Amino acid sequence: MDQSPPRSSSVTVADVARKAGVSKATAARVLGGYGTVSDHVRDAVTAAARALDYQPNELARSMTTGRSGTIGVVVGDIENPFFSLAMRGISDVARQAGFTVILINSGEDADTERSAIRTLLAKRVDGLIVSPAKESDADHLREAARSGRPLVLLDRGSETLDIDTVIADDRHAAENITRRFIALGHRRIAYLTACDTPDHRFRAPTDINTGSVRRRIEGFLDVCQKAGLERMEDWVHVGAVTPEHTRCIATVILKSSRRPTALIASDSVIGLEVFKVCRELGVTIPTDLSLVSFHDADWTSVTTPPVTVVRQPVYGLGEAAAKLLVERLNGNSAEATRVVLKTEVVERASVAAAPA
Amino acid sequence: MDQSPPRSSSVTVADVARKAGVSKATAARVLGGYGTVSDHVRDAVTAAARALDYQPNELARSMTTGRSGTIGVVVGDIENPFFSLAMRGISDVARQAGFTVILINSGEDADTERSAIRTLLAKRVDGLIVSPAKESDADHLREAARSGRPLVLLDRGSETLDIDTVIADDRHAAENITRRFIALGHRRIAYLTACDTPDHRFRAPTDINTGSVRRRIEGFLDVCQKAGLERMEDWVHVGAVTPEHTRCIATVILKSSRRPTALIASDSVIGLEVFKVCRELGVTIPTDLSLVSFHDADWTSVTTPPVTVVRQPVYGLGEAAAKLLVERLNGNSAEATRVVLKTEVVERASVAAAPA
DNA sequence: TCTCACTATGAGACCGGTCTCAAATAAAAA
DNA sequence: TTTTTATTTGAGACCGGTCTCATAGTGAGA
């Protein structure tokens, strides 16, 4: 069967049809797996296709069917373990359902995100999963939703948007932690997040454009207020956008005369940096500072002491978002859904009673 | 300018042309940014496009131009920090060069990888970056290379394949570590990797299908032999494919009567698990066991003691692969290149002299 | 004033599939 | 045997762009 080496590329249905001695339409029916064909013809076409090493052109196929078999995903930063794990969830479900994934990193920048969505729409993705950098300007999200292609928001989403959303119950988790801190006698509790404000200062939750973080801070402030703690807004620090920034901010906080006795890190990248700074500054955990970090990252369980964390179902978040999207793609057109997954506080040894 | 709400989708060049009162060809010239058009007509078309909210169909464009503006990436597991960081490098370069990235997870499975490549080829990606799970059957890689679309191998690559490859100098790093261990008096040195063999036992480097790991083991064995250590093959352990497997294997190794005094973990996921097992078993690092891990992961710097690691330029690996690919895409058709990036041993506190 | 080179536009083929519709053939019913 | 119905097949339009080629228009040079 030593065929002539099949030429590099572009064997088309027409070529196969010619070789098999049938019409283009018939060959297409066999190759595309639709319509009815006699067994006899099917075999002939299949054989011809194999002989010519026919490779279907998915692009042309999408062109006519209108479905590309792709879903677009826009995340803040794939390097962040949070997103890479969520991505794993998305990609597993997508593959299962026969979709491939186009990934774009927004770098948490709204403009990049906007153009990313435009690009994906132009490439005619069947649906989108986006983890919006800022919720304040959500026009491009509305536009995407209006384009008719399903959109699911991941981890972040605004209540005002009528779009499918998958989030964790961040507010509840933050309340939970704050309550524990207060019960342990802490009064000076800091919250440190990457989200930034124009003047790098925090005044009210509405300053925060990232839903998940806003909800956490709301929960934090809420519990504080109910416990009679005043002006806790001053203990919320924003702008820990890079490890260097975090290091800088953490150093200032921990060197200050009114040093916090407890600190909540809004993600594991921040938590890690805070942990390092504590070590450098000789701040002992948990004696001098009680530390809790969001996201159950690798490192949190092997430090001395191991760090108490809020375990978010990150893989599940991605999984749920992708499942929701696939459902929509299969024609489910019910009202916009809001999936909220449970978080869990993993108690380790970085939390103790406030120093006297 | 309260336009009638632009209909959901599919405004085509023809529609714009009609509205602007020009031919389809002319409208296409303006919209596609090619050919020559008078300023007057350009304005008219642009205005019409805006009014109708024209969105180009990248699919149709790719159809005729033959370029899709996409590159396909196949990695073992995006959840692994190694790959997510490399992915960041790839995706940054790709975006810069105007390409989008389709990501597929192979789960380190050769069959999945094969079908992933087929899918990507069918979707007419312009080029491919693959981190092959197994090098033994590389037919699909050859096929991909033959398809005419450029292919770059990432982190792993076989010497026998005439394909662009970007790797780190793993062999050198392994030699380096091994030499240090031996100089410190270690004789029982274990090597633990995720790569597996059919019977889960290691005999010779040729058993190992993953180039990067094979090169490391070769370096390890080579230095051992030169130092007069015999039968060090027995100290190479394979099959640490999941954290659970790793845990299990590490426990057996560390509980054995001839316990190693030094251990090299082939990646950070394995290193982390070994670290945990040591803690559980009361094996003190570095007194009882000297530990070195490949990949400078987050956690390695915050443990007690911090772990000595081989820092690979992971981001750079992805970056270099993408750059190489983009060059090919721009027509550079020189011989297959082999880029080797330097590694660096980051000395921390998990290595000490062998116990007496 | 007439030719020449050059620019701007239009008509229509083309990419590689899918899909509609009608014709041809085969099988079943009258 | 004739009519009816079901099953295969082929011809060709279509998706939404790009691109070739021919035609019309325009200013420069002779």
Side-chain angles (χ1 to χ4, degrees):
Chain A
M1 285 301 187
D2 201 341
Q3 300 287 142
S4 64
R7 275 160 27 275
S8 56
S9 59
S10 62
V11 176
T12 74
V13 269
D15 297 328
V16 175
R18 201 172 310 121
K19 170 122 186 167
V22 297
S23 77
K24 185 182 152 197
T26 303
R29 274 189 268 262
V30 175
L31 267 14
Y34 57 91
T36 59
V37 208
S38 68
D39 292 355
H40 170 249
V41 170
R42 164 167 291 110
D43 293 347
V45 172
T46 310
R50 200 190 319 278
L52 290 151
D53 188 33
Y54 167 77
Q55 302 283 98
N57 183 333
E58 210 56 59
L59 242 43
R61 193 168 282 171
S62 307
M63 180 88 249
T64 40
T65 59
R67 320 195 76 210
S68 65
T70 3
I71 70 181
V73 177
V74 183
V75 298
D77 175 12
I78 190 65
E79 183 187 338
N80 185 317
F82 179 91
F83 285 121
S84 68
L85 186 48
M87 186 64 196
R88 183 67 207 266
I90 294 173
S91 119
D92 285 355
V93 172
R95 187 154 47 82
Q96 195 81 22
F99 290 92
T100 52
V101 174
I102 300 189
L103 171 70
I104 304 190
N105 251 61
S106 74
E108 300 289 7
D109 176 68
D111 286 334
T112 311
E113 181 179 304
R114 194 187 316 280
S115 86
I117 290 181
R118 183 146 308 165
T119 303
L120 291 170
L121 253 22
K123 289 207 182 296
R124 294 300 191 261
V125 293
D126 292 333
L128 282 164
I129 296 179
V130 180
S131 192
K134 296 207 190 320
E135 297 180 358
S136 47
D137 52 347
D139 289 350
H140 57 305
L141 297 179
R142 289 206 193 80
E143 183 188 326
R146 228 175 336 105
S147 82
R149 264 155 293 182
L151 164 66
V152 176
L153 264 29
L154 179 70
D155 184 49
R156 309 158 177 189
S158 136
E159 287 76 7
T160 63
L161 286 170
D162 196 33
I163 298 177
D164 287 326
T165 309
V166 177
I167 55 172
D169 61 346
D170 298 285
R171 190 183 219 284
H172 186 258
E175 290 175 352
N176 205 337
I177 296 169
T178 312
R179 233 178 262 121
R180 288 178 199 220
F181 276 160
I182 293 177
L184 285 165
H186 293 280
R187 293 296 174 267
R188 301 204 298 270
I189 309 168
Y191 189 102
L192 183 47
T193 174
C195 299
D196 212 349
T197 60
D199 64 350
H200 313 297
R201 305 182 61 193
F202 176 86
R203 288 193 188 74
T206 48
D207 293 348
I208 301 292
N209 269 317
T210 307
S212 52
V213 176
R214 177 159 31 71
R215 285 190 293 277
R216 291 177 202 168
I217 296 178
E218 281 169 359
F220 166 68
L221 292 176
D222 213 39
V223 170
C224 287
Q225 196 182 354
K226 281 186 184 139
L229 301 187
E230 306 258 309
R231 295 195 50 72
M232 290 305 282
E233 287 81 4
D234 298 349
W235 294 91
V236 177
H237 298 272
V238 298
V241 288
T242 67
E244 292 69 36
H245 280 87
T246 308
R247 165 169 301 271
C248 180
I249 296 170
T251 306
V252 170
I253 295 177
L254 294 172
K255 275 189 169 171
S256 113
S257 53
R258 290 194 70 226
R259 192 168 81 186
T261 61
L263 188 149
I264 305 173
S266 203
D267 72 48
S268 66
V269 180
I270 293 175
L272 178 66
E273 225 51 42
V274 170
F275 190 92
K276 286 183 187 168
V277 170
C278 283
R279 210 177 246 192
E280 285 168 22
L281 261 42
V283 173
T284 314
I285 296 175
T287 327
D288 299 333
L289 182 80
S290 286
L291 176 66
V292 172
S293 176
F294 274 80
H295 187 61
D296 184 17
D298 284 349
W299 64 270
T300 57
S301 67
V302 288
T303 49
T304 312
V307 178
T308 297
V309 296
V310 176
R311 176 179 292 158
Q312 299 158 292
V314 185
Y315 181 91
L317 241 33
E319 199 177 31
K323 276 185 182 159
L324 198 49
L325 188 63
V326 169
E327 259 179 45
R328 294 288 185 208
L329 259 17
N330 289 336
N332 178 342
S333 52
E335 295 255 301
T337 314
R338 202 177 177 73
V339 178
V340 181
L341 298 185
K342 281 222 174 323
T343 57
E344 173 194 1
V345 174
V346 181
E347 301 222 38
R348 295 208 263 248
S350 64
V351 174
Chain B
M1 284 302 186
D2 201 341
Q3 302 285 142
S4 64
R7 274 157 31 272
S8 55
S9 60
S10 59
V11 176
T12 74
V13 269
D15 297 327
V16 175
R18 201 171 312 121
K19 171 122 186 169
V22 298
S23 76
K24 186 183 154 197
T26 304
R29 274 189 268 262
V30 176
L31 267 15
Y34 57 90
T36 58
V37 207
S38 68
D39 291 354
H40 170 249
V41 170
R42 165 168 291 111
D43 293 346
V45 173
T46 310
R50 199 191 318 281
L52 290 151
D53 189 33
Y54 167 77
Q55 303 282 101
N57 185 334
E58 210 57 58
L59 241 45
R61 191 168 284 172
S62 308
M63 181 88 250
T64 40
T65 58
R67 320 194 77 210
S68 65
T70 4
I71 70 180
V73 177
V74 184
V75 299
D77 175 12
I78 190 65
E79 185 187 337
N80 187 319
F82 179 91
F83 285 120
S84 67
L85 187 48
M87 185 64 195
R88 184 64 207 268
I90 294 173
S91 121
D92 284 355
V93 173
R95 189 154 46 81
Q96 194 81 23
F99 290 92
T100 53
V101 173
I102 301 189
L103 170 71
I104 304 190
N105 252 60
S106 74
E108 301 288 7
D109 177 67
D111 286 334
T112 310
E113 181 179 305
R114 193 185 317 279
S115 86
I117 290 180
R118 182 145 308 164
T119 303
L120 291 171
L121 253 22
K123 287 207 185 292
R124 295 298 191 263
V125 292
D126 291 333
L128 281 166
I129 296 179
V130 180
S131 191
K134 296 205 191 322
E135 297 179 359
S136 48
D137 51 348
D139 289 349
H140 56 305
L141 297 180
R142 288 205 195 79
E143 185 188 324
R146 226 175 338 103
S147 82
R149 264 154 294 183
L151 166 66
V152 176
L153 264 28
L154 178 70
D155 185 49
R156 309 156 178 190
S158 136
E159 286 77 6
T160 62
L161 284 170
D162 194 35
I163 298 178
D164 286 327
T165 309
V166 177
I167 56 171
D169 61 345
D170 298 286
R171 191 184 219 282
H172 185 256
E175 289 175 353
N176 204 337
I177 297 169
T178 312
R179 233 177 262 121
R180 290 178 197 221
F181 276 159
I182 293 176
L184 285 165
H186 292 279
R187 293 296 174 268
R188 301 202 300 269
I189 309 169
Y191 189 103
L192 183 47
T193 174
C195 298
D196 211 351
T197 60
D199 64 350
H200 313 298
R201 303 183 59 193
F202 176 86
R203 288 195 188 70
T206 48
D207 293 348
I208 301 293
N209 268 318
T210 307
S212 52
V213 176
R214 176 158 34 68
R215 284 190 294 276
R216 292 176 201 168
I217 295 178
E218 281 168 359
F220 166 67
L221 292 176
D222 213 39
V223 171
C224 286
Q225 197 181 353
K226 281 187 183 136
L229 301 186
E230 306 257 310
R231 296 195 49 70
M232 290 305 282
E233 287 80 3
D234 298 349
W235 293 91
V236 177
H237 298 272
V238 298
V241 287
T242 66
E244 292 69 36
H245 281 87
T246 308
R247 168 168 299 272
C248 180
I249 296 169
T251 306
V252 170
I253 295 177
L254 294 172
K255 275 190 170 171
S256 113
S257 53
R258 291 194 69 227
R259 192 168 83 185
T261 62
L263 188 147
I264 303 173
S266 203
D267 71 48
S268 67
V269 181
I270 293 175
L272 177 66
E273 224 53 43
V274 170
F275 191 92
K276 286 184 187 168
V277 170
C278 283
R279 206 175 250 193
E280 284 168 24
L281 261 43
V283 174
T284 312
I285 295 174
T287 327
D288 299 333
L289 181 79
S290 286
L291 175 66
V292 171
S293 176
F294 273 81
H295 186 61
D296 183 18
D298 282 347
W299 64 268
T300 56
S301 66
V302 288
T303 49
T304 313
V307 178
T308 297
V309 296
V310 175
R311 177 179 292 160
Q312 300 158 291
V314 184
Y315 180 92
L317 241 33
E319 201 177 30
K323 276 184 183 159
L324 198 50
L325 188 62
V326 169
E327 259 178 44
R328 293 289 184 208
L329 258 18
N330 289 335
N332 177 341
S333 53
E335 296 255 303
T337 314
R338 202 175 176 74
V339 178
V340 181
L341 298 185
K342 280 221 174 325
T343 57
E344 172 194 0
V345 175
V346 180
E347 300 222 40
R348 295 209 262 247
S350 64
V351 174

